[in-house]
Amino acid sequence: MKQKKVYLFPEGTKEQKYLLGGKGANLAEMTNAGLPVPFGFTITTESCLDYYRDGEVLSTDLLDQVYVALDELEQLSSKQFGSNVNPLLVSVRSGSVFSMPGMMDTILNLGLNDQTVVGLANLTQNPRFAYDSYRRFIQMFSNVVLGMDHYFFEEVIDEIKEKRGFTEDTELGAEDWQQVIQRYLKMVEAKTNSPFPQDPKIQLSQAIEAVFRSWNNTRAKIYRKINKIPDDLGTAVNIQLMVFGNLGDDSGTGVAFTRNPSTGERELYGEFLINAQGEDVVAGVRTPNPISDLKNQMPSIYKQFVELSSLLEEHYGDMQDIEFTVERGKLYILQTRSGKRTAQAAVKIAVDLVDEGKIKKEEALLRIDPDQMDQMLHPRIDPNVTLKVIAKGLPASPGAASGNIIFDADEAERLTEKGEKVVLVRPETTPEDIHGILAAQGILTSRGGMTSHAAVVARGMGKACICGCDQLKIDLRAETVTIGDLTLQKGDQITIDGSTGQIIQGNVPLIDPNLSLEFEQLLKWADEVRRLEVRANADNPTDATKAREFGAEGIGLCRTEHMFMEADRIPIVQQMILAENEEEQKDALAKLLPMQKEDFKGIFSAMNGLPVNIRLLDPPLHEFLPNMEELVVELTKMQVEKVNPQQYVAKEALLKKVRALHEFNPMLGHRGCRLGMTHPEIYEMQVEALFLAVIESKKAGITVIPEVMIPLVGHVQELKALRRMVINVGERIQQETRESFEYTIGTMIEVPRAALTAEEIAEQADFFSFGTNDLTQTTFGFSRDDAEGKFLHTYVEQKVLPENPFIVLDQAGVGSLIKMATVAGRRKKQGLKTGVCGEHGGEKSSIQFFHDTGLDYVSCSPFRVPIARLAAAHAELNNSVKKN
Ligand code: PEP
Ligand code: MG
C-alpha cells in the first residue's frame, strides 16, 4: 500500500504530533473540534526524511498526493489555483514536532503571479493591496526559496520612494507597486538566470522543497543542538488557504479574549475592524472597534463567534486569545492560544473555571505561579489613572512607590524621619546606602541589573525598585536627573512601578494590596493541600495582625532587637550598654522590661491561639551606639569650640566604649548567644518580660503558645547554659507569681557547626529553626552586605552561581546541611520540630526543598505568607504528579 504523505486537516488527530508536527496536529484538532479553520493540509515529517534519503528530490508520489489535496482545497473553497478570476492563494509554513520558532520564514499569498494578481485586485476592489501583496510574495519567495537577500529588494523600494519624494512605504500607490514588481521580476531573473516562477504549482513544489531544506539550515541545526531536539525528526509542511478580511463590508478581522485579561471578568474582550487585514488591527493605523459592536454590525457572525469562543475555552480548559477573520460573511478562526493575563485575572479565571466545573482545584492551584502573586501583594498603581510614563527600566522589585526625588541616602533617611515620602535615585547603590534604601518608598537606579545591590536589597525588603534605566542621566552634584528633554530636580515627584519598570512623572494614586475573594478561595484550596505550616516573621502587633490576615499560622521569628531600636528606647538601651556599674545597668534594664513586656503582649494578642517564637537579642551591641567616625568628628568640633568640659568628658567616654565594642568582623563577632553568655542580664530581662507577658495575656483570656529561641548557637554547651538560664527564670517567675505556664526552648541553626553537631544539640532543643540568611553567609563564608554589594552579581552574571543564594536556597551546600541536621536532630529526638525563618522561607523553589526535606514549617515576612501558602501547596502537588 502506498504511504500516506499528505493529510487534509480533518484526517489528522492531535496525537499525530510526530507525523504532522505540532502545528499540523493542532490545526487538525481545531478542525475536528468543529472550528472553522481555513482549509488546508499537512505534508508529513516522514516525507521530509524521504526527501533527504532520495538525494534531496521531491518524489512524484508526494507531488501527486499534494495535487490531489489541492484539488480538494479548490473544491472546498470554490477557488482555483492560478485563476485570474477567483484565485486560490495559500500560506506555506514549516511545522516540526517541537516548536522551532524562526527556523524558516512563512510564505504568504503563494499562488500570486502576473495574472492572478489582477484577479485579486478585482476581487478586493483594492489594487493597491493586491500589488503590495504580490511584491511581498515575490520578495519572500525569492528570499526563502531562491536565497536572495532582502537587501536587494529594499534598495528598489528606496529608489522608487526617492524618485517620488516619499518617505514612507504607505505613501506608495498601486501603480508604484506595479513598478516595483517589474523591477523585482527583472532583478530575480538576472540574479538567478531564470524567470520568477509564474506557475503556482511550481511555486508550491519549490516552496515545499525550501521548507524541507530549511530543516538543515545552520540556524535550525544550532537551535536543535541547544534545545536537544533530535536531528532525525524532519519537519512537516502546512499548506493553508489564505483568507482575506478586506474584501468589503461583509469582511473583517479581529482579536478577542474569552475573558477580560486585566480583571478576569467573564466577558468577551477584544477588538475588530470591518474590511481590514490582521495587520491593520495591530499597526494602529485605524482605531478598532470593541468586539461588542460586532453584535450590531454582523449579528450572526457575532453569535457564531461567541459560541465558538466558549467552545474553544471549554476544549482547552483555559482562557483563550483568538484571532479571527471574516471573509465575505464567513467566519474563520486563524489561531487560538492561552491568553496572557495579569496576576489578578489569572487568579479569578482559575477560581471561576473551578466553579464552572471546567477544571479541578489542583489544576487551578498549579496554574498560578507563586511569583506572579507578588504583584498582588504590594501597593499597585490605580489602573483608572492616566499615566505620564517618562522612561522604562528593569522591573527589579515589584510594587509601586511615589515620592520626592532624593539623590542621597542620608538625606532620604532624614526627610523620611520628618514624614516626607521619598524615592531614592542613584546611578547604583552600595551597602553604605542601606539606611537610605530602608527609609525610601522605592529605589531607582540608572545602572545595574536584576541582581545589583539595589535590586537584591529592595526585594529583600519588599520595596519597589527599578534598576538599570540607562535613559536616566543622573547628575549627583547638580542633583538633577535628565531623561531626554526633561530634567527633574531634587524634590520633584515621581512614581515608579517595580512590577513593569515604568517611571512616571508626578504622584500617582496607589491602591493597597488586599486579598480578593477569589484569591482567598484559591489560598483556602492551597491550605487543604499543603503539608508545610506557614508562619510569619513579625516583631510588632501591626505586622502580626497583617500576617494573620494573610493566613499565617503563627510567628516563626520575632526579632526582639527591633523593639530596642525605637527612638524612645535607644537612650535606655545605650544607658544599659554604657553603665559604669551594676546599679546603673539594673536601672536601665528595669526600664526596658515593661516596654518589652507590652510588646510581647501585643503580639500574643494578635496571635491568640497560635505559636509565637521569640528570639533573644541577636545583633552586636555596637549597633545600638553612635557611629565611631561621627563621634570622632563631633569630639574634634567640641575641642575647637571649647564646649563645657563635662559634656566633652561624657562624649569621650562614649567614644571609648564604642571603640571597645568595635569589631573587625561583626557578622562573625560578639552577637547572638555569645552576647547571652557574656551579658546574661540582658537575656534574663528579656525572658522575664516574656514570661510576665505570658501570665498577663493568659489572665486576659488569650491563649499563648510561647517558644523561646536562642540565636547563633554553634556548640551544645552554649545552648545548654542558656537553656538552664531560661528555665531558672521561668521557675523563679512561677514561684514569685504562683502562676504556671508552658513554653518550649529551641535554637536557630545558623552556623555549620550547629548543623554538623545537630544530634548533640537536639538533646538541649525542643525545636530547630534554620536561619538560612546566616547559614548561607557562614556556609559560603560570604558576608552578605559585602557579597551583594561587590561580587555576587558578577558571580551570577558569569554563571558561577545560578542565582543569588541569599534569595534562592543553595540546595547543594546550605541545603545539605539542613537535610543532615534535620535527620540527625530527629534521630536524637523523635518528632523534633523543624522550621525555616530565613528569607528563603518565602521563596518557591526553596519551599519545595523544605517540603521534600520534611521540615514542619516555613516562616517569612507577612506579605509573602500567601505566596508561601501557594508554593507549599505546589510542593505537595508537584510531588504527587511525579509519583503518578
Ligand atoms: C537568619 O539568619 O536566617 C535569620 C532569620 O536571622 P537574621 O536574619 O535576623 O540574622
Ligand atoms: Mg540570623
Side-chain angles (χ1 to χ4, degrees):
M1 205 180 78
K2 257 197 191 169
Q3 191 189 22
K4 188 167 172 59
K5 297 186 155 116
V6 173
Y7 285 71
L8 291 167
F9 290 163
E11 291 178 315
T13 68
K14 67 170 189 263
E15 284 73 33
Q16 287 172 305
K17 199 172 142 185
Y18 276 84
L19 188 65
L20 304 178
K23 192 178 284 152
N26 192 35
L27 284 164
E29 183 181 7
M30 287 207 290
T31 307
N32 288 326
L35 296 170
V37 174
F39 303 125
F41 56 89
T42 304
I43 302 175
T44 62
T45 53
E46 280 173 1
S47 310
C48 176
L49 302 178
D50 290 348
Y51 169 79
Y52 283 107
R53 205 195 42 222
D54 298 348
E56 307 203 4
V57 279
L58 295 180
S59 67
T60 37
D61 178 23
L62 171 64
L63 286 175
D64 286 348
Q65 292 195 35
V66 166
Y67 297 144
V68 170
L70 206 56
D71 280 349
E72 191 81 16
L73 221 59
E74 287 187 333
Q75 278 185 25
L76 287 166
S77 64
S78 316
K79 297 181 184 193
Q80 284 84 43
F81 216 37
S83 155
N84 54 10
V85 181
N86 195 10
L88 170 73
L89 303 179
V90 294
S91 64
V92 181
R93 294 180 164 99
S94 66
S96 58
V97 180
F98 302 104
S99 156
M100 291 171 58
M103 188 173 92
M104 197 198 98
D105 302 311
T106 298
I107 300 181
L108 300 177
N109 292 325
L110 187 137
L112 278 175
N113 60 21
D114 294 349
Q115 268 79 49
T116 54
V117 70
V118 180
L120 185 66
N122 290 337
L123 207 65
T124 55
Q125 292 293 304
N126 189 346
R128 187 192 181 281
F129 160 74
Y131 289 105
D132 184 19
S133 303
Y134 185 26
R135 74 92 196 170
R136 281 174 201 263
F137 167 62
I138 298 171
Q139 195 168 333
M140 256 187 207
F141 187 92
S142 304
N143 176 254
V144 175
V145 179
L146 309 175
M148 281 178 65
D149 211 313
H150 277 297
Y151 162 80
F152 300 113
F153 298 93
E154 303 295 344
E155 223 177 29
V156 171
I157 298 180
D158 285 346
E159 261 177 47
I160 289 185
K161 272 200 304 199
E162 200 179 302
K163 237 203 280 172
R164 302 274 282 125
F166 296 152
T167 51
E168 304 293 328
D169 288 6
T170 45
E171 291 170 278
L172 296 170
E175 272 139 43
D176 299 316
W177 289 125
Q178 275 173 306
Q179 232 186 76
V180 169
I181 290 164
Q182 290 317 313
R183 298 265 310 261
Y184 274 13
L185 293 174
K186 272 199 202 122
M187 187 170 72
V188 173
E189 186 163 356
K191 297 241 180 239
T192 62
N193 289 326
S194 130
F196 184 84
Q198 291 285 319
D199 180 346
K201 283 193 173 169
I202 293 182
Q203 290 175 356
L204 184 60
S205 65
Q206 291 194 351
I208 294 168
E209 228 184 301
V211 174
F212 283 165
R213 275 201 311 268
S214 73
W215 175 253
N216 272 337
N217 69 27
T218 320
R219 251 181 341 193
K221 280 192 197 161
I222 295 174
Y223 187 91
R224 285 202 294 274
K225 201 166 176 186
I226 296 171
N227 293 283
K228 302 196 172 52
I229 298 174
D231 283 329
D232 58 359
L233 294 175
T235 180
V237 186
N238 296 296
I239 291 149
Q240 192 175 19
L241 188 79
M242 295 286 303
V243 287
F244 296 100
N246 54 348
L247 296 188
D249 284 346
D250 55 355
S251 303
T253 189
V255 179
F257 291 83
T258 53
R259 304 192 184 220
N260 185 317
S262 301
T263 63
E265 224 45 66
R266 193 176 182 185
E267 62 188 4
L268 210 51
Y269 177 97
E271 297 174 323
F272 81 102
L273 271 173
I274 292 280
N275 197 8
Q277 273 189 297
E279 259 179 18
D280 301 332
V281 179
V282 185
V285 188
R286 284 165 57 189
T287 310
N289 308 313
I291 192 90
S292 51
D293 285 6
L294 193 63
K295 201 176 189 168
N296 303 326
Q297 300 195 22
M298 296 183 177
S300 70
I301 292 283
Y302 180 76
K303 190 165 164 274
Q304 198 193 349
F305 185 70
V306 169
E307 281 165 15
L308 284 176
S309 58
S310 62
L311 190 82
L312 275 171
E313 198 186 83
E314 187 100 19
H315 190 77
Y316 289 96
D318 195 11
M319 182 261 258
Q320 297 293 298
D321 165 359
I322 306 168
E323 285 175 26
F324 66 95
T325 285
V326 181
E327 188 188 84
R328 300 231 159 111
K330 176 151 174 47
L331 175 68
Y332 291 98
I333 303 294
L334 301 184
Q335 177 164 303
T336 185
R337 57 185 165 194
S338 281
K340 294 246 177 296
R341 60 204 84 177
T342 62
Q344 214 187 338
V347 170
K348 178 157 174 54
I349 291 170
V351 171
D352 287 353
L353 286 174
V354 174
D355 289 346
E356 292 160 23
K358 293 184 179 144
I359 59 172
K360 295 217 173 75
K361 287 177 192 174
E362 289 76 12
E363 173 66 27
L365 285 167
L366 286 172
R367 280 196 188 171
I368 309 295
D369 180 357
D371 286 345
Q372 207 189 1
M373 295 303 91
D374 219 19
Q375 277 183 26
M376 293 165 75
L377 297 162
H378 293 279
R380 286 179 295 130
I381 288 176
D382 185 339
N384 300 316
V385 174
T386 319
L387 304 177
K388 185 167 178 211
V389 178
I390 50 177
K392 203 159 177 226
L394 298 172
S397 176
S402 278
N404 302 340
I405 297 177
I406 294 299
F407 296 96
D408 176 73
D410 294 340
E411 194 163 11
E413 188 183 38
R414 202 163 39 73
L415 293 175
T416 305
E417 274 165 15
K418 279 200 206 150
E420 237 179 72
K421 288 196 160 135
V422 306
V423 172
L424 182 63
V425 180
R426 304 271 316 159
E428 61 204 344
T429 65
T430 69
E432 260 104 77
D433 298 318
I434 196 88
H435 55 299
I437 298 178
L438 188 67
Q441 301 293 309
I443 296 90
L444 169 61
T445 71
S446 57
R447 286 203 289 262
M450 300 288 280
T451 55
S452 63
H453 178 264
V456 169
V457 174
R459 277 199 296 272
M461 292 179 183
K463 248 177 225 265
C465 176
I466 296 178
C467 283
C469 179
D470 50 17
Q471 291 155 275
L472 306 184
K473 302 282 166 274
I474 300 173
D475 184 338
L476 289 177
R477 213 172 303 158
E479 300 200 289
T480 57
V481 52
T482 307
I483 305 144
D485 301 335
L486 178 73
T487 296
L488 299 172
Q489 318 272 344
K490 175 170 100 170
D492 286 351
Q493 291 180 330
I494 53 164
T495 300
I496 58 170
D497 185 344
S499 312
T500 60
Q502 285 183 329
I503 302 158
I504 299 134
Q505 191 174 5
N507 221 336
V508 176
L510 303 181
I511 304 175
D512 261 347
N514 56 0
L515 301 188
S516 63
L517 284 179
E518 289 84 8
F519 197 8
E520 297 249 24
Q521 178 61 70
L522 189 86
L523 289 171
K524 271 195 202 126
W525 294 337
D527 295 346
E528 288 166 16
V529 168
R530 71 186 157 91
R531 183 193 60 72
L532 270 178
E533 209 181 287
V534 178
R535 297 193 188 184
N537 295 353
D539 25 66
N540 58 59
T542 317
D543 285 359
T545 308
K546 190 82 209 158
R548 192 163 193 167
E549 212 179 286
F550 280 171
E553 295 163 293
I555 288 189
L557 173 64
C558 168
R559 295 178 164 105
T560 51
E561 58 270 20
H562 291 171
M563 301 165 174
F564 284 5
M565 302 262 188
E566 281 172 29
D568 56 333
R569 304 192 188 173
I570 274 279
I572 312 173
V573 175
Q574 292 184 348
Q575 185 195 335
M576 171 189 87
I577 299 169
L578 300 172
E580 299 268 327
N581 51 49
E582 219 174 291
E583 266 326 287
E584 262 184 57
Q585 192 184 45
K586 269 200 180 144
D587 184 49
L589 287 169
K591 280 189 212 150
L592 281 175
L593 189 139
M595 294 178 176
Q596 185 110 92
K597 188 183 73 184
E598 288 310 309
D599 294 331
F600 292 144
K601 280 168 66 182
I603 294 174
F604 290 153
S605 157
M607 283 286 148
N608 189 359
L610 298 175
V612 176
N613 180 311
I614 307 269
R615 176 179 77 183
L616 303 182
L617 196 64
D618 185 49
L621 293 180
H622 65 73
E623 282 199 9
F624 301 98
L625 295 179
N627 173 291
M628 187 154 71
E629 275 109 49
E630 279 171 20
L631 273 177
V632 172
V633 174
E634 272 180 55
L635 269 169
T636 319
K637 248 186 166 165
M638 284 166 106
Q639 229 168 2
V640 176
E641 289 165 8
K642 297 201 167 49
V643 293
N644 164 343
Q646 237 178 339
Q647 265 181 3
Y648 185 83
V649 170
K651 209 40 132 205
E652 210 175 28
L654 180 61
L655 178 62
K656 213 167 141 197
K657 190 77 186 177
V658 170
R659 280 213 169 106
L661 290 175
H662 172 75
E663 290 184 304
F664 295 102
N665 285 311
M667 194 267 290
L668 298 173
H670 193 179
R671 54 170 288 219
C673 65
R674 304 158 198 171
L675 267 180
M677 297 297 289
T678 53
H679 296 275
E681 63 285 350
I682 303 179
Y683 272 21
E684 278 164 7
M685 179 280 288
Q686 288 197 294
V687 176
E688 181 166 349
L690 167 62
F691 288 150
L692 291 175
V694 171
I695 293 171
E696 288 179 26
S697 301
K698 276 176 73 178
K699 281 190 184 154
I702 287 161
T703 307
V704 194
I705 309 170
E707 300 172 348
V708 186
M709 183 153 78
I710 315 290
L712 221 71
V713 163
H715 198 288
V716 64
Q717 292 301 339
E718 292 169 322
L719 185 59
K720 194 170 175 191
L722 293 170
R723 183 182 178 89
R724 185 75 258 156
M725 179 279 295
V726 175
I727 292 171
N728 287 345
V729 175
E731 283 171 355
R732 175 167 63 78
I733 303 284
Q734 298 204 353
Q735 268 171 17
E736 284 171 12
T737 58
R738 294 180 189 285
E739 299 285 344
S740 69
F741 48 84
E742 308 261 305
Y743 60 93
T744 53
I745 305 170
T747 184
M748 291 185 80
I749 306 279
E750 333 181 63
V751 298
R753 196 182 187 285
L756 294 166
T757 59
E759 197 162 343
E760 277 178 1
I761 291 189
E763 224 172 303
Q764 301 293 324
D766 303 321
F767 60 84
F768 281 175
S769 175
F770 292 96
T772 49
N773 301 335
D774 271 311
L775 194 56
T776 302
Q777 297 203 89
T778 52
T779 302
F780 274 97
F782 290 168
S783 125
R784 180 172 187 172
D785 285 347
D786 295 314
E788 286 184 337
K790 297 202 170 72
F791 58 85
L792 210 47
H793 59 279
T794 311
Y795 272 39
V796 175
E797 245 166 52
Q798 295 183 356
K799 305 209 168 12
V800 174
L801 292 176
E803 316 257 9
N804 176 348
F806 292 102
I807 295 178
V808 178
L809 187 82
D810 158 47
Q811 298 184 10
V814 181
S816 288
L817 285 172
I818 294 175
K819 218 180 236 175
M820 207 177 81
T822 305
V823 172
R826 290 194 176 143
R827 201 182 306 129
K828 175 58 79 185
K829 197 171 266 177
Q830 227 192 351
L832 176 81
K833 191 154 183 104
T834 52
V836 167
C837 63
E839 278 170 47
H840 306 89
E843 194 280 322
K844 67 175 181 189
S845 70
S846 315
I847 290 175
Q848 177 83 52
F849 177 84
F850 301 140
H851 172 91
D852 295 342
T853 306
L855 301 193
D856 296 306
Y857 69 87
V858 290
S859 187
C860 54
S861 64
F863 68 88
R864 292 199 72 86
V865 166
I867 298 173
R869 286 163 72 192
L870 183 60
H874 276 210
E876 176 69 32
L877 291 171
N878 288 341
N879 287 1
S880 43
V881 170
K882 262 187 251 157
K883 267 182 230 142
N884 290 333

